[in-house]
Amino acid sequence: MLVRKTILPNGIRVVTEKMPGFHSVSTGIWVNVGSRDEESHERGVTHFVEHMLFKGTATRSALDIAKALDAVGGFANAFTSKENLCIHAKVMDTHLNLVVDVLTDIFLNSLFADEEIERERQVVVQEINMIEDSPEDLVHILFQQDFWKDHPLGVPIYGTEESVRALTRSKILDFLGRRFAPEVVLVAAAGNVDHDAFVDLVAPHLETLNHNRRPPKRSAPQVVSHRTVVPKDLEQVHICLGFPACSQSDPRRFACHVLNVVLGNSMSSRLFQEVRENRGLAYAIYSFVNSHEDTGLMGVYAAVAPEDVDETLAVITAEMDAVRRDAITDAELAAAKDYLKGSMYLNAESTDSRMNRLAKNEFVFGRHVPLEEVEAAIDRVTADEVQAWFDEQYRPENTALTLLGPVSKNGAADVALA
């Protein structure tokens, strides 16, 4: 077996994948907790914790942590999503002991010192400001805030400047005590790794984690159809249009992703060809799918000159209406399937990608999902299934639109979704 799983006595899962021929190992400590799990008074705390985990433990300073992995040519990083936090590193297999020692140390023994919290608070505020200055990022955030209004999924992962400035050490520790229970913690490793030896490495450290508070279950959001115009002094108008889509475990997710490729997630897609190549309306135009545990979002983004907003919206909706009206062609279906399978297998050549797949499949499905199983599911998708799924999901009453840039609050927002 190349993929194996062990559950430690306290409930922490350890999942590994042996990749023959590799000399590196990617390792991650995952927590199935993200920004959607935060209370209103602690927005941004998960992301803040991610930052603070690298700021020192009882035996290592922040500089010591950085030097430890730099000294062996390793790479360490972390990320927070709406549903997960992960600290991870990639090293040569001969240094696996070191990376396990460092990752478990910062995960279990970070000090969250007051002076470091104050220093990092300024860093996170600058990160927020940086995103505010990036209109492509900002329009997606603004869209989701209204699309999942009054639900934690709609809140930015990093919180707000106000909520970050209100975080204290006691709030952070309270959040960790309530949320970071063993049952939501998982360790994943992919590369040249022996499962039993790896379990022997991590178990003595992680078996000490014994929080016994069961995290509350997540609640699914309700979609709010909206037409939002946010005037901003920019050169372009940034468009984000979307509607409900598949969750991570929805059996129809493969039809959804096939459609995404055909519609706008490739250079040969309908939107890229019509909006950019044929009409020259935009440099950036694409469709996307964001899937979560219990819901999802499919959307289209474009950045255009203010005078081209109406035409661009009309083209986008015309292309989507065409998909609802007529099934995609056999050639489009075959090309989209090859695109998805090719991307999947190319990503699978990376130990980081394999490590990520291990963790996400365990959280979503409770098991390893072989690449061959995914390939077979993609191959089973038919054009009729794609059309039926899209006809069900894409409707004016559950479709939303956000415009960001030099545009009036009256007029353009009504064009696309009437």
Side-chain angles (χ1 to χ4, degrees):
M1 277 289 290
L2 298 179
V3 176
R4 294 181 59 192
K5 178 172 77 172
T6 295
I7 302 177
L8 302 183
N10 60 355
I12 291 177
R13 287 165 282 182
V14 181
V15 187
T16 67
E17 181 172 11
K18 176 78 171 179
M19 299 175 66
F22 282 72
H23 297 286
S24 61
V25 182
S26 293
T27 304
I29 299 179
W30 292 70
V31 187
N32 196 23
V33 170
S35 59
R36 73 173 296 178
D37 302 302
E38 299 165 353
E39 303 291 342
S40 58
H41 67 277
E42 57 190 13
R43 298 298 185 210
V45 65
T46 315
H47 175 252
F48 201 86
V49 166
E50 173 215 317
H51 277 242
M52 290 303 302
L53 289 175
F54 288 86
K55 298 305 173 184
T57 70
T59 58
R60 289 183 172 95
S61 67
L63 181 58
D64 292 334
I65 294 168
K67 282 184 173 181
L69 292 168
D70 286 348
V72 297
F75 171 81
N77 210 336
F79 64 84
T80 305
S81 69
K82 291 182 183 286
E83 296 183 318
N84 303 128
L85 178 148
C86 175
I87 55 173
H88 58 98
K90 182 174 182 176
V91 295
M92 296 298 291
D93 51 16
T94 51
H95 301 297
L96 186 56
N97 288 26
L98 171 67
V99 78
V100 168
D101 188 55
V102 172
L103 290 183
T104 56
D105 186 28
I106 65 178
F107 182 69
L108 296 170
N109 304 316
S110 286
L111 296 175
F112 299 98
D114 286 327
E115 63 271 21
E116 291 289 352
I117 289 174
E118 291 307 314
R119 186 179 296 114
E120 201 61 25
R121 192 191 313 278
Q122 303 309 313
V123 173
V124 174
V125 168
Q126 291 306 310
E127 183 179 2
I128 292 173
N129 292 337
M130 180 179 68
I131 295 172
E132 293 282 338
D133 287 340
S134 174
E136 181 175 351
D137 294 332
L138 182 58
V139 73
H140 284 276
I141 290 166
L142 294 172
F143 177 87
Q144 292 186 35
Q145 283 180 323
D146 287 333
F147 189 74
W148 287 313
K149 196 175 183 66
D150 299 325
H151 188 278
L153 269 179
V155 178
I157 292 169
Y158 49 77
T160 64
E161 181 174 345
E162 180 183 17
S163 67
V164 169
R165 292 197 182 281
L167 291 175
T168 63
R169 186 173 190 270
S170 61
K171 281 186 178 180
I172 293 170
L173 296 181
D174 175 67
F175 176 77
L176 292 172
R178 286 186 290 110
R179 295 291 185 173
F180 280 38
E183 67 183 77
V184 298
V185 177
L186 180 148
V187 187
N192 189 24
V193 57
D194 175 80
H195 180 80
D196 293 329
F198 185 73
V199 171
D200 288 342
L201 278 178
V202 302
H205 301 282
L206 294 177
E207 283 177 346
T208 63
L209 186 65
N210 285 302
H211 296 179
N212 56 9
R213 300 180 67 171
R214 182 176 294 274
K217 290 188 175 182
R218 292 165 172 164
S219 61
Q222 296 295 314
V223 170
V224 177
S225 177
H226 65 86
R227 314 291 184 267
T228 304
V229 176
V230 182
K232 192 175 178 68
D233 185 16
L234 300 169
E235 292 297 320
Q236 294 180 300
V237 176
H238 295 259
I239 301 168
C240 191
L241 182 152
F243 51 91
C246 52
S247 70
Q248 293 171 331
S249 58
D250 190 327
R252 303 170 298 173
R253 64 190 181 278
F254 301 104
C256 169
H257 288 290
V258 165
L259 175 63
N260 186 41
V261 175
V262 172
L263 186 63
N265 195 37
S266 65
M267 291 180 64
S268 61
S269 66
R270 294 186 179 190
L271 287 175
F272 189 93
Q273 287 297 311
E274 185 61 27
V275 173
R276 175 170 163 162
E277 299 297 282
N278 294 342
R279 298 179 184 241
L281 294 172
Y283 172 77
I285 170 76
Y286 58 82
S287 63
F288 60 91
V289 176
N290 294 337
S291 293
H292 302 290
E293 179 182 282
D294 47 15
T295 190
L297 157 67
M298 186 172 186
V300 175
Y301 165 84
V304 301
E307 62 270 21
D308 293 330
V309 170
D310 288 359
E311 181 181 357
T312 303
L313 289 173
V315 172
I316 291 171
T317 52
E319 290 295 337
M320 294 200 292
D321 287 340
V323 174
R324 284 186 66 191
R325 185 176 60 251
D326 302 307
I328 61 175
T329 67
D330 290 341
E332 286 177 316
L333 179 66
K337 290 179 178 182
D338 286 341
Y339 180 95
L340 290 172
K341 292 183 290 185
S343 298
M344 177 180 69
Y345 280 111
L346 288 174
N347 286 333
E349 294 185 356
S350 159
T351 57
D352 283 343
S353 294
R354 291 272 188 155
M355 185 271 292
N356 275 270
R357 283 196 82 249
L358 287 174
K360 291 178 180 179
N361 282 332
E362 181 62 31
F363 282 144
V364 176
F365 302 106
R367 66 180 182 90
H368 171 60
V369 181
L371 296 173
E372 295 79 7
E373 181 179 329
V374 178
E375 179 181 7
I378 294 171
D379 282 336
R380 286 194 296 270
V381 174
T382 67
D384 287 342
E385 288 173 354
V386 173
Q387 184 183 24
W389 178 86
F390 191 54
D391 183 57
E392 178 183 331
Q393 299 299 123
Y394 175 61
R395 297 185 176 280
E397 62 269 21
N398 63 11
T399 305
L401 171 70
T402 296
L403 303 179
L404 170 69
V407 60
S408 168
K409 284 197 173 185
N410 298 315
D414 296 325
V415 173
L417 309 174

